[in-house]
Amino acid sequence: MRKKILMLFGIALISAFALNVRADEYSLPEIGTAGMGGLTVQREKQLGEFYLRQARASLPIIEDPVMNEYLNSIGGKLLMSASGVRFPFTFLTVKNPSLNASAFLGGVVQVNTGLYHYADTEDEFASVLAHEISHVTQRHIARFIEDQINVTNLSAAGIIGSIVMSIINPAIGMAALSTTMGATSQNRINFTRDNEYEADRIGINLLYRSGFNPYGMADMFRLLLSRQGNINPAFAMLIDHPLSQNRVSEAQSRADQLGRRKNSNNVNYEFARARADVRYMGVDDFNSLKQSLMTNPFKRSQAYVNYALALCCYELKQYQEAYAYLDALKGLQNNIFVLDLRTDIDLKNGREQNAVARLEPFYRKSPDNEALALNLANALKSAGKPEQAVKILNNFLRRHPQDPSALSLLSQSALDAKDRCQALQARGRYQALLAAYPQALNSFAQAMNYCTNSYDRDIVRALTTQVSEQRAFDDSINKDMR
């Protein structure tokens, strides 16, 4: 039953690629633009935000500003060439070693850290994102919900809630879906299969239009096919969706028609991959990993090896050696991955002013960069200048009001600055992002005791109203899925 349910949504497990190649199919019609009856684009965006709150509360989302910047850069590059983008997308990384990715209503796309580990090239990595983005732009999940309403007469909220739960808590979610929709499984599978073919066709064209090598998708298929008989949790999608040689051939054929490009040589993918491997793949013996990297049995690039060794040394508190490996990255000292790790090391060694001086020129040029803004704010806070940190974070949050890391750091920095009014507001906003509504409302109630001017008090009242309405929205969906 679990196999059937996971196929059902087009929530884009990577193994669901199945390319249907035709020589004349470079420009495809937008199918399903209207979505489903009653589900407007605005409503879909609200449901995407609902999913985000549930995911942040229940999944091991990685709030790493450098990884976020990288993932957003690849997602943004693809979106610039995509058709049918109707709302801002949100890209998330989940700490999970299996090779997987998924998409949801409202432009939410998440990847597992395992994708970084197993995708050999940035083009393979981007091919997965292109597929997921195509599911969203074609509104496949909205069309699935419409189909199920017509077949089962169930409420949209009940179906949506069950889908969300099936991603976040499979054991409970599968039971909910089996109860509500068990009678129409074959219809669901056929519906989703069509969606997958459409997302594959559009995805590989999107990959090509965005400047990536379209063979990245074929290479990803070959990787999966090579693991075909290996029932390994790291390749869980192969258990649910066995890969055929035909799918590899179709991906290869379409790539042949589009034309080969050189694989991307973006060093940031090497750094992101190293960071995922060292920090987010469950390493419990950094000494052993360090020794393996020094002999380089993984056959990784030198940039990957030096950065991974620097990360290992940082974890082992071998800070001078970590600096040496970063110094070996010639010509890359201004790279954001390198700047971030240098900042971490400086703060461990009490060199906060060094970190601030290094980061400030880059921040002035790119104040909207999450990694730069949060690194500088954290360095200023550590240097005993929380008021300056608060200023930087407020500037960043004006453009990114739902950034959890920025809100958390703002709460801490404002508290250090003895501004409990602002600290409690930021804490409440952060808690609301995790759907921790009693705590959020309590934070706002406490804030009213410290906010003395009418402007701040009006802001707290507005936040209280907004979060109360958000809570009612979430409760309505959760109630209908029970």
Side-chain angles (χ1 to χ4, degrees):
M1 186 61 187
R2 181 173 180 272
K3 293 181 182 180
K4 296 178 180 179
I5 296 299
L6 287 178
M7 287 183 72
L8 133 89
F9 309 116
I11 303 179
L13 298 179
I14 299 170
S15 58
F17 297 141
L19 302 178
N20 183 11
V21 181
R22 293 211 316 260
D24 60 347
E25 201 168 352
Y26 293 99
S27 179
L28 295 162
E30 291 183 8
I31 301 175
T33 299
M36 57 165 281
L39 183 57
T40 64
V41 170
Q42 179 60 29
R43 180 72 167 176
E44 184 173 341
K45 184 174 180 294
Q46 289 176 327
L47 291 167
E49 292 169 352
F50 165 77
Y51 173 76
L52 275 174
R53 293 189 288 272
Q54 303 301 310
R56 284 173 175 146
S58 305
L59 292 176
I61 303 294
I62 292 173
E63 296 297 349
D64 181 328
V66 185
M67 296 292 281
N68 289 348
E69 276 292 327
Y70 173 75
L71 183 58
N72 285 328
S73 73
I74 301 302
K77 185 176 181 180
L78 291 163
L79 288 172
M80 287 178 66
S81 298
S83 300
V85 178
R86 298 170 180 84
F87 28 61
F89 273 58
T90 301
F91 297 94
L92 304 172
T93 302
V94 178
K95 186 178 179 181
N96 187 318
S98 68
L99 197 168
N100 212 344
S102 64
F104 190 70
L105 294 165
V108 181
V109 176
Q110 64 188 52
V111 302
N112 285 359
T113 49
L115 179 58
Y116 289 93
H117 180 78
Y118 291 107
D120 282 330
T121 67
E122 186 174 60
D123 306 87
E124 292 179 24
F125 183 88
S127 75
V128 176
L129 287 183
H131 180 88
E132 304 301 340
I133 287 170
S134 298
H135 271 302
V136 177
T137 59
Q138 296 303 295
R139 304 192 78 189
H140 285 158
I141 304 171
R143 289 158 56 197
F144 160 74
I145 295 168
E146 179 181 36
D147 179 73
Q148 290 307 299
I149 290 173
N150 292 335
V151 171
T152 65
N153 293 318
L154 295 170
S155 73
I159 295 171
I160 290 164
S162 296
I163 293 173
V164 171
M165 185 60 70
S166 74
I167 305 172
I168 293 174
N169 190 330
I172 296 174
M174 293 307 159
L177 285 164
S178 299
T179 300
T180 58
M181 296 183 286
T184 58
S185 60
Q186 187 58 50
N187 175 55
R188 295 199 305 273
I189 291 170
N190 292 338
F191 184 85
T192 300
R193 204 168 277 149
D194 291 341
N195 289 347
E196 295 297 344
Y197 273 81
E198 184 177 55
D200 291 337
R201 294 191 302 269
I202 295 172
I204 196 169
N205 287 325
L206 174 57
L207 189 68
Y208 179 79
R209 291 197 305 273
S210 302
F212 292 102
N213 183 1
Y215 284 85
M217 190 171 282
D219 292 341
M220 177 58 73
F221 276 129
R222 272 190 284 273
L223 167 66
L224 295 172
L225 188 65
S226 71
R227 303 285 181 163
Q228 184 68 39
N230 178 12
I231 306 304
N232 184 326
F235 299 89
M237 69 290 224
L238 288 175
I239 300 172
D240 296 311
H241 306 281
L243 188 69
S244 68
Q245 179 62 53
N246 184 54
R247 296 169 77 181
V248 180
S249 300
E250 289 176 336
Q252 180 75 33
S253 177
R254 183 171 289 277
D256 288 342
Q257 294 168 43
L258 291 169
R260 180 177 292 278
R261 287 194 174 112
K262 289 184 178 179
N263 285 332
S264 167
N265 62 356
N266 183 6
V267 72
N268 281 347
Y269 182 65
E270 296 298 306
F271 289 158
R273 198 178 185 199
R275 197 172 177 103
D277 284 347
V278 175
R279 289 190 168 175
Y280 305 121
M281 289 292 286
V283 175
D284 55 11
D285 186 347
F286 290 102
N287 270 313
S288 294
L289 178 58
K290 180 183 174 183
Q291 293 305 312
S292 296
L293 286 163
M294 291 174 74
T295 60
N296 197 11
F298 310 114
K299 296 187 171 68
R300 303 288 198 243
S301 71
Q302 198 58 49
Y304 171 101
V305 171
N306 282 332
Y307 189 67
L309 282 167
L311 289 165
C312 284
C313 290
Y314 175 82
E315 297 296 335
L316 293 166
K317 298 181 173 56
Q318 299 166 351
Y319 300 127
Q320 288 306 119
E321 193 173 351
Y323 272 131
Y325 283 118
L326 292 177
D327 288 340
L329 294 165
K330 303 299 184 183
L332 295 170
Q333 298 309 302
N334 295 341
N335 181 281
I336 187 60
F337 282 89
V338 177
L339 289 171
D340 174 88
L341 186 51
R342 282 195 181 280
T343 300
D344 289 346
I345 298 171
D346 280 345
L347 297 188
K348 289 292 185 181
N349 286 311
R351 300 173 181 170
E352 295 88 355
Q353 293 297 342
N354 286 0
V356 170
R358 183 188 304 113
L359 290 166
E360 280 183 330
F362 296 101
Y363 171 74
R364 284 194 292 268
K365 292 180 181 178
S366 304
D368 204 36
N369 183 295
E370 180 183 5
L372 289 172
L374 269 62
N375 265 288
L376 179 55
N378 190 43
L380 287 165
K381 174 182 175 297
S382 299
K385 300 178 181 178
E387 294 86 359
Q388 294 182 38
V390 166
K391 183 177 179 181
I392 286 171
L393 291 166
N394 277 326
N395 182 54
F396 179 78
L397 283 162
R398 276 191 284 273
R399 292 182 292 274
H400 307 279
Q402 296 191 355
D403 187 290
S405 296
L407 285 169
S408 178
L409 186 55
L410 175 59
S411 179
Q412 299 167 38
S413 300
L415 196 60
D416 286 355
K418 304 191 185 313
D419 185 350
R420 293 185 67 84
C421 170
Q422 185 166 193
L424 287 163
Q425 287 180 55
R427 183 191 299 174
R429 290 168 62 189
Y430 172 79
Q431 291 163 334
L433 290 182
L434 278 63
Y437 295 123
Q439 296 91 325
L441 293 171
N442 182 58
S443 293
F444 295 146
Q446 290 183 57
M448 290 296 282
N449 296 323
Y450 294 95
C451 297
T452 56
N453 65 64
S454 59
Y455 176 76
D456 285 335
R457 293 175 70 85
D458 285 345
I459 289 176
V460 175
R461 291 189 188 97
L463 286 170
T464 301
T465 299
Q466 177 186 335
V467 169
S468 297
E469 291 174 351
Q470 181 177 299
R471 181 183 192 177
F473 179 87
D474 290 8
D475 286 347
S476 69
I477 295 178
N478 291 324
K479 179 181 178 181
D480 283 348
M481 71 164 285
R482 292 190 188 104

